[in-house]
Amino acid sequence: MIRTSRGSTRAAEAVLAVTAALALTACGSGGGDSSQDNRSPSAAKTSVASPSPTRSYALSTAPRTVPAVQTHEAARGPGWRPAGNSTGVVIAGGDAGRGLADEGRLIAQELRIPYRGTAAAGAGDVELALASGGGGAESYTMDVSGGQVRITGADEAGVFYGTRTLKQAIRADGVMPEGVVKDAPARAQRGLMVDIARKFYTQGWLEDRLREMADLKLNQLGLHFSDDQGFRIESTSHPEIVSAQHLTKAQVREILALAKQLHINVVPEIDNPGHLGAVLAPNPSLKLRKANGAIAKGAIDISQPASARLIDDLLREYAGLFPGPYWHLGADEYQALMASNPEATYPNLARAAVKKYGSGATVADLTTGWTNDRAATMRPYGRELRVWNDGIYKDGIVKADPNLQVAYWTGKEIGAREPVAYLSQGRTVVNYNDEYLYYVLGQPNNFTYPTGQRIYEQWTPLVLRGTSPVPAKYSKQIAGGVFAIWGDFPNAQTQDQVAAGIRLPLAATSQKLWDARKPTQSWTSFKALAVKVGG
């Protein structure tokens, strides 16, 4: 037995060095700093019992990624490293696995190793496969052993997220540790929303955000593309409403194609019946007016049939452009319901409510009916529909469509009830908590730019309003969360400044949506890792 104790001879040290070199060559590690193969100094003890020397490795530790993996079964071994043409990416399963080609090509490009298509895995290869037994949506298993990596997903998204873990582990430490990772998201909806109506963002900037989101295992990009200040996507049904700075439909299709490749659903929002200033500018007869003739900012007159026709034209047009499973109807901050006495301030709406719904009906009933009608317009397209929480009103003759999901953002607006009021009705809620997840340009109305540290240390998906969580019994009704960028003062930051400002908050949000457990890393450690793997 040759030992590396203080009394070892130089000859023993030389044999040990040869042993280590042979072991590294045999495992295809490509050499490099031994600190990157997950070994501790105590792993230096090596026995030479045959002409083919072997090496004892310390138990591996979990790969360092953002978000962290759910479980890692440690094992002894060198792990896996990309080694140029001697390693590659292959797809298992013949025809059944061909749908993984995009995932295979992307990770091969990122690791700078060949993509070999559907083929048997060889020494040093990364193999991608779909699980025959199924499993939870977006889940995957990664087995690192024998010098190979095998990523098996319950669906294509699961395989893709396995490749994100592999990419980040290599970026963090140069090695994917030996052992088995089993991983799945805690929340189904994990997103970023961008207000491109008040501040225009270029196609390239949005595509960069998609790539950033994908590495963080986020799966929704919200596009709020209509507001008082702008309408930012080309329209064929109403070209008169489109702002000078806008995305063409061809550009949107390219964004959608990239999003699909990265397993991200794009969630469009044409906010209504409020926040319609850009739509109403060329349609002044549809603007809502008070009893004294004053115009209500951004509000459409929902008593006019022409108003419904205009909005339904747009909903149908963009339902054809955006094929995803989700749609945001908006419904917040309708000026008529922000008056102290809506019926007296807007008598035309009050009369329309009584005419449509009978004696005792109010402006709130008319507004609820409007949103229900827009939901009916979208129903043939099979979308899951959501509205802002202050767009679902208490009591009244007309009840909000029970299938509407609640995008809970605030407790500060008129009509904004406690989250439990919506949860107790059995509604699905998506967390947009403006206390933690609102990045409002210019920081108006007491908003401050959110920090990653505060999200990481204080926020969870159960914290829907302010800083207090709802009871854990409602957890299954909270589908997930969305970090939102709002352009109230669009010139307060450049595109690049916004991208830099959201980087750590978005990483922290991804961690809290993917993993329900309290983080074990300190914020300082998490921040350093997020910067390193974010590249």
Side-chain angles (χ1 to χ4, degrees):
M1 180 67 70
I2 300 173
R3 297 169 298 181
T4 57
S5 64
R6 187 170 295 174
S8 299
T9 64
R10 291 185 179 178
E13 291 172 347
V15 171
L16 179 59
V18 171
T19 299
L22 288 171
L24 283 169
T25 302
C27 74
S29 67
D33 185 350
S34 64
S35 67
Q36 292 186 334
D37 64 8
N38 242 31
R39 291 179 294 118
S40 66
S42 62
K45 290 188 177 182
T46 308
S47 61
V48 182
S50 70
S52 299
T54 61
R55 182 176 182 175
S56 176
Y57 291 88
L59 278 174
S60 61
T61 56
R64 299 196 306 134
T65 61
V66 176
V69 300
Q70 295 280 1
T71 67
H72 176 256
E73 180 183 330
R76 297 183 188 277
W80 181 90
R81 303 171 189 269
N85 289 335
S86 64
T87 54
V89 177
V90 300
I91 308 298
D95 290 341
R98 290 189 188 279
L100 299 175
D102 283 346
E103 289 76 14
R105 290 190 181 95
L106 180 59
I107 188 62
Q109 177 185 1
E110 291 167 332
L111 298 179
R112 299 180 181 179
I113 60 178
Y115 171 68
R116 300 194 177 110
T118 53
D125 281 347
V126 175
E127 182 182 57
L128 309 183
L130 293 172
S132 57
E138 302 181 300
S139 66
Y140 69 92
T141 298
M142 186 188 311
D143 189 333
V144 183
S145 59
Q148 294 179 326
V149 177
R150 180 177 174 84
I151 300 172
T152 307
D155 50 24
E156 291 179 12
V159 174
F160 177 70
Y161 292 137
T163 67
R164 302 306 86 196
T165 294
L166 178 60
K167 174 187 175 180
Q168 285 199 12
I170 297 300
R171 183 170 282 180
D173 298 306
V175 63
M176 180 66 208
E178 200 86 3
V180 179
V181 168
K182 292 185 178 180
D183 205 11
R187 304 287 168 174
Q189 298 188 36
R190 309 176 304 278
L192 168 68
M193 192 223 77
V194 185
D195 171 10
I196 68 170
R198 284 179 273 196
K199 181 178 179 65
F200 178 74
Y201 294 87
T202 63
Q203 176 185 356
W205 189 92
L206 291 169
E207 289 176 344
D208 285 345
R209 301 290 73 70
L210 285 171
R211 296 183 183 95
E212 180 181 1
M213 292 168 62
D215 282 355
L216 294 171
K217 301 184 175 75
L218 298 173
N219 63 3
Q220 283 188 13
L221 173 65
L223 288 183
H224 177 94
F225 65 92
S226 170
D227 212 302
D228 294 340
Q229 295 81 355
F231 192 98
R232 301 294 185 179
I233 296 178
E234 173 189 359
S235 173
T236 51
S237 67
H238 290 278
E240 73 280 1
I241 69 175
V242 179
S243 301
Q245 273 192 311
H246 66 271
L247 297 170
T248 67
K249 287 188 176 181
Q251 289 176 311
V252 171
R253 290 188 185 100
E254 290 175 354
I255 291 169
L256 291 170
L258 177 60
K260 182 178 180 180
Q261 181 185 354
L262 300 175
H263 299 278
I264 294 172
N265 291 307
V266 177
V267 184
E269 181 192 358
I270 302 174
D271 203 349
N272 72 95
H275 293 280
L276 285 169
V279 171
L280 292 171
N283 295 282
S285 65
L286 301 182
K287 292 180 179 181
L288 179 63
R289 295 178 181 273
K290 300 178 182 180
N292 63 8
I295 294 173
K297 180 183 176 182
I300 199 167
D301 185 348
I302 61 175
S303 70
Q304 296 193 50
S307 295
R309 289 194 295 270
L310 172 59
I311 300 306
D312 286 348
D313 282 349
L314 295 173
L315 292 175
R316 293 187 182 104
E317 177 179 359
Y318 292 100
L321 178 63
F322 292 95
Y326 305 103
W327 191 279
H328 202 316
L329 288 169
D332 65 313
E333 297 182 321
Y334 186 46
Q335 290 294 311
L337 293 176
M338 300 176 78
S340 58
N341 188 336
E343 286 68 37
T345 308
Y346 300 95
N348 61 321
L349 298 185
R351 289 190 296 269
V354 171
K355 181 179 180 180
K356 187 169 185 177
Y357 297 112
S359 177
T362 65
V363 174
D365 290 312
L366 189 69
T367 308
T368 298
W370 165 277
T371 299
N372 287 348
D373 289 345
R374 306 294 73 76
T377 297
M378 291 301 300
R379 192 166 293 119
Y381 300 97
R383 309 301 164 82
E384 292 185 32
L385 304 174
R386 69 183 61 160
V387 297
W388 298 112
N389 63 288
D390 53 319
I392 296 181
Y393 309 104
K394 183 180 179 181
D395 303 325
I397 293 172
V398 183
K399 306 299 181 185
D401 184 330
N403 296 313
L404 292 174
Q405 295 182 357
V406 177
Y408 199 100
W409 71 283
T410 189
K412 301 168 186 174
E413 296 290 338
I414 294 173
R417 292 171 286 152
E418 291 287 341
V420 170
Y422 307 93
L423 293 165
S424 62
Q425 295 176 344
R427 292 189 185 275
T428 297
V429 175
V430 182
N431 192 324
Y432 288 75
N433 187 339
D434 64 351
E435 177 72 23
Y436 292 95
L437 306 180
Y438 262 34
Y439 194 95
V440 185
L441 296 188
Q443 305 183 104
N445 302 323
N446 297 318
F447 281 109
T448 58
Y449 293 128
T451 67
Q453 182 172 3
R454 191 161 182 254
I455 295 169
Y456 186 78
E457 294 178 346
Q458 299 178 20
W459 179 80
T460 77
L462 292 177
V463 181
L464 287 160
R465 172 173 171 160
T467 60
S468 300
V470 298
K473 68 179 181 179
Y474 293 116
S475 181
K476 290 184 179 180
Q477 289 174 240
I478 301 172
V482 177
F483 187 90
I485 304 168
W486 292 102
D488 290 44
F489 288 90
N491 297 323
Q493 290 189 339
T494 65
Q495 285 191 145
D496 290 344
Q497 287 172 325
V498 173
I502 70 169
R503 186 161 292 127
L504 288 173
L506 197 61
T509 302
S510 79
Q511 174 63 42
K512 304 304 281 289
L513 290 170
W514 185 268
D515 192 342
R517 300 168 298 182
K518 183 177 180 180
T520 56
Q521 289 189 87
S522 68
W523 165 250
T524 300
S525 177
F526 178 87
K527 176 182 176 181
L529 178 60
V531 170
K532 190 170 187 179
V533 301

